[in-house]
Amino acid sequence: MRLNNKRPAAQPTLPSIPSKVSRFGNATATVPVQRMGRLAGTTTATATASTTASTVTKRPLAARPLPRAATTAAASATATRTKPASGGASGGAASSAAPKRIAPYDFKARFHDLLDKHKVLKTKYEKQVEDMGELESLPTQLEETQTKLIETESSLKNVQTDNDCLNRQVKQQAKNIETITTSLGRAKEELSELQTNHKQIKMEHESLTAEVLQLRQRTEDLLRSNEQQAKDLETCKEQLFQSNMERKELHNLVMDLRGNIRVFCRIRPPLPSELDRNRCTYIYHDEATVELQSMDGQAKNKMGQQIFSFDQVFYPTSTQTDIFEMVSPLIQSALDGYNICIFAYGQTGSGKTYTMDGVPSELGVIPRTVDLLFDSIKGYRNLGWEYEIKATFLEIYNEVLYDLLSNEQKDMEIRMAKNNKNDIYVSNITEETVADPHHLRQLMLMARQNRATASTAGNERSSRSHAVTKLQLIGRHAEKQEVSVGSINLVDLAGSESPKTSIRMTETKSINRSLSELTNVILALLQKQDHIPYRNSKLTHLLMPSLGGNSKTLMFINVSPFQDCFQESVKSLRFAASVHSCKIPKAKRNRYMASSNTVPALNSSSSLGSNSNMSSSFDK
């Protein structure tokens, strides 16, 4: 009953012995074996450590002292090997001095005995872990020693190579010494001759010394004069630069006084093949006013007196040179950093393309602009300006944009610039940097050949599309750190035609619609409406900066002298009179300092009227 009612003794919970994870494979494998060997009193761990050490150290270390951990490990290994022998010799004594056996029912004594043994084993384990940590650094030291040995061998090879090179140089120098010795003999002979000549030269030197003193004095005088002239030259350069700036301001003032939208009327003469056609009467009151009279009395009474005033009226006898003399000031404004737009408007067969392009014997506005640009750029180099010209050629055919320098099908769109809501640019258009007039003429010829033309009732080769030639002028003054950016937009509009006489209805409708939208934009500007319908057609959207933005604009109104064109001529002249009445803000000069952060990044995505990336300008 007493045995059955006895409570079971609480069994002690011993802490587990943590395992040591080594960084090396062999050491990890030997740690548990070493712990078990020490607990059982065997030499298994020592033998494994010896084998690992012999495997790792394939090459002996050169007189390098072992660390304390290695010395301790060796001492422990020696003690382990000798432990069985000493234990056998004293076996009797140990058995005689064995502790008193603990009774099986004395759990408390057995617990304390096991706890003491656990403390002893834990102390031995911690000692072994410490020794093992110190031994882990041995492979690293071995690798460092091997690396240094390899570096030493490489250095030795380099030294041997340098030594071979030096030996070769010594041999070469020995040969040079022999050559020099031979030359020395000849030099001694020449020396004697030179000494004789030296005496003669010495005498001449004395006479020249006196002359040199005189020349030195004269040189000092010339240097002082040169410094004064250099100062005067810098003053003249600054005065010339300031004079050029004043010239630009005065030129722009004159152009502003003439108007930022100017209209020139040109009445073309009949061709030799058209002498038998009936012509209406044009009466020129002065160089800016023209009166149109019909030969048909009924139409004359119905429409009344037709008198129109413009900025300039050119007679049929006016030449291409006379025309360009009035246009050239605008080209000068473009070189000064302003945006210029020149476009021709009129009935088909009225001479728009002839005015803009001309013929080889009578060049038009566009080729003469090219010649004037490059001639002016040569003169501007003397003022310190360097110009770069970029050209693009665009066509609007049936309300679709086409790149005249590329035959590829592109998705081209007119987009608004991010920095300025009044600026636009055309995406995916080809932009060519022009180096000389010949290159630009080749591009113009390619664009002219790619342009859409067809025969109509009024013209054998009528332009059936709107063509836009854009020249961007980027001038840089290195000394003043100034950048000037101007642009010239030359627009040849398609000829308007009555649907009654048209044989190409689709083209005629697109052309007349775009020209009608242009008329609506002009009327909206005249009436100062809040909304201007620029986006109703690609043409008006493209001309938006020129009609209501930062640009100086010139429009040619071309009319035919024939009676059968009287109605269309009156419509064209009335439209031109409306344009002449428009007032747009003054154009601003695109001028920047090259060192500032406001210089625009000029690329192919430039606007028609002004550059899309320009964030600041100086109004001159």
Side-chain angles (χ1 to χ4, degrees), residues 328-388:
S328 57
L330 282 175
I331 308 303
Q332 181 63 51
S333 294
L335 287 170
D336 294 343
Y338 293 93
N339 299 310
I340 305 303
C341 181
I342 303 175
F343 65 95
Y345 180 90
Q347 182 186 7
T348 179
S350 59
K352 299 184 299 301
T353 303
Y354 178 80
T355 300
M356 298 302 292
D357 293 336
V359 295
S361 59
E362 290 289 338
L363 298 178
V365 171
I366 295 178
R368 289 175 184 268
T369 298
V370 173
D371 296 334
L372 178 60
L373 280 178
F374 283 95
D375 291 341
S376 300
I377 287 173
K378 291 180 181 179
Y380 269 77
R381 287 196 182 100
N382 298 329
L383 300 176
W385 288 93
E386 291 292 337
Y387 277 87
E388 179 184 8

Side-chain angles (χ1 to χ4, degrees), residues 162-403:
D162 296 341
N163 189 23
D164 294 339
C165 294
L166 291 175
N167 289 335
R168 288 193 295 270
Q169 292 178 4
V170 168
K171 293 180 180 179
Q172 183 64 31
Q173 294 297 332
K175 293 180 181 179
N176 293 340
I177 290 173
E178 293 179 0
T179 303
I180 292 173
T181 302
T182 304
S183 301
L184 181 60
R186 292 195 297 267
K188 288 181 179 180
E189 296 176 358
E190 295 176 357
L191 180 61
S192 60
E193 295 178 1
L194 291 175
Q195 287 176 348
T196 304
N197 296 334
H198 173 69
K199 293 179 181 180
Q200 297 176 357
I201 294 174
K202 188 175 181 180
M203 296 175 63
E204 295 177 359
H205 173 71
E206 292 177 355
S207 61
L208 292 175
T209 301
E211 185 177 354
V212 166
L213 294 175
Q214 296 177 358
L215 292 176
R216 285 180 179 175
Q217 183 63 33
R218 184 179 178 184
T219 301
E220 292 176 357
D221 296 339
L222 290 176
L223 288 175
R224 286 192 294 269
S225 177
N226 188 27
E227 291 176 358
Q228 183 62 35
Q229 291 180 358
K231 293 180 181 179
D232 295 342
L233 180 61
E234 290 297 327
T235 303
C236 292
K237 284 183 178 180
E238 183 63 26
Q239 292 177 353
L240 180 61
F241 181 81
Q242 296 298 331
S243 299
N244 186 42
M245 298 302 296
E246 293 178 2
R247 194 272 310 160
K248 291 181 180 181
E249 294 176 4
L250 293 175
H251 178 77
N252 179 60
L253 180 60
V254 172
M255 298 304 294
D256 288 342
L257 292 175
R258 292 178 179 177
N260 284 330
I261 290 187
R262 305 180 66 196
V263 180
F264 292 170
C265 176
R266 187 180 191 185
I267 303 170
R268 78 169 179 87
L271 299 176
S273 59
E274 300 173 331
L275 296 178
D276 56 344
R277 294 178 63 180
N278 293 328
R279 285 176 280 177
C280 53
T281 303
Y282 285 90
I283 300 174
Y284 303 97
H285 294 274
D286 52 38
E287 61 181 11
T289 306
V290 62
E291 180 180 356
L292 178 61
Q293 294 182 354
S294 175
M295 299 298 294
D296 185 0
Q298 184 177 359
K300 182 177 180 181
N301 295 331
K302 181 179 180 180
M303 301 188 69
Q305 193 177 21
Q306 303 294 330
I307 300 178
F308 303 94
S309 296
F310 306 104
D311 293 284
Q312 184 70 37
V313 176
F314 294 100
Y315 306 147
T317 57
S318 299
T319 63
Q320 298 281 63
T321 303
D322 299 333
I323 300 295
F324 192 71
E325 283 181 358
M326 301 298 294
V327 177
S328 57
L330 282 175
I331 308 303
Q332 181 63 51
S333 294
L335 287 170
D336 294 343
Y338 293 93
N339 299 310
I340 305 303
C341 181
I342 303 175
F343 65 95
Y345 180 90
Q347 182 186 7
T348 179
S350 59
K352 299 184 299 301
T353 303
Y354 178 80
T355 300
M356 298 302 292
D357 293 336
V359 295
S361 59
E362 290 289 338
L363 298 178
V365 171
I366 295 178
R368 289 175 184 268
T369 298
V370 173
D371 296 334
L372 178 60
L373 280 178
F374 283 95
D375 291 341
S376 300
I377 287 173
K378 291 180 181 179
Y380 269 77
R381 287 196 182 100
N382 298 329
L383 300 176
W385 288 93
E386 291 292 337
Y387 277 87
E388 179 184 8
I389 299 179
K390 296 182 180 180
T392 58
F393 297 87
L394 175 68
E395 177 186 46
I396 305 176
Y397 179 70
N398 288 341
E399 289 298 307
V400 180
L401 301 179
Y402 293 95
D403 188 354

Side-chain angles (χ1 to χ4, degrees), residues 395-402 452 464-466 504-511 513-514 538:
E395 177 186 46
I396 305 176
Y397 179 70
N398 288 341
E399 289 298 307
V400 180
L401 301 179
Y402 293 95
R464 310 309 295 161
S465 64
H466 309 299
R504 305 172 68 90
M505 291 302 299
T506 302
E507 294 176 353
T508 302
K509 288 180 180 179
S510 298
I511 293 171
R513 176 178 175 273
S514 62
K538 294 293 179 61

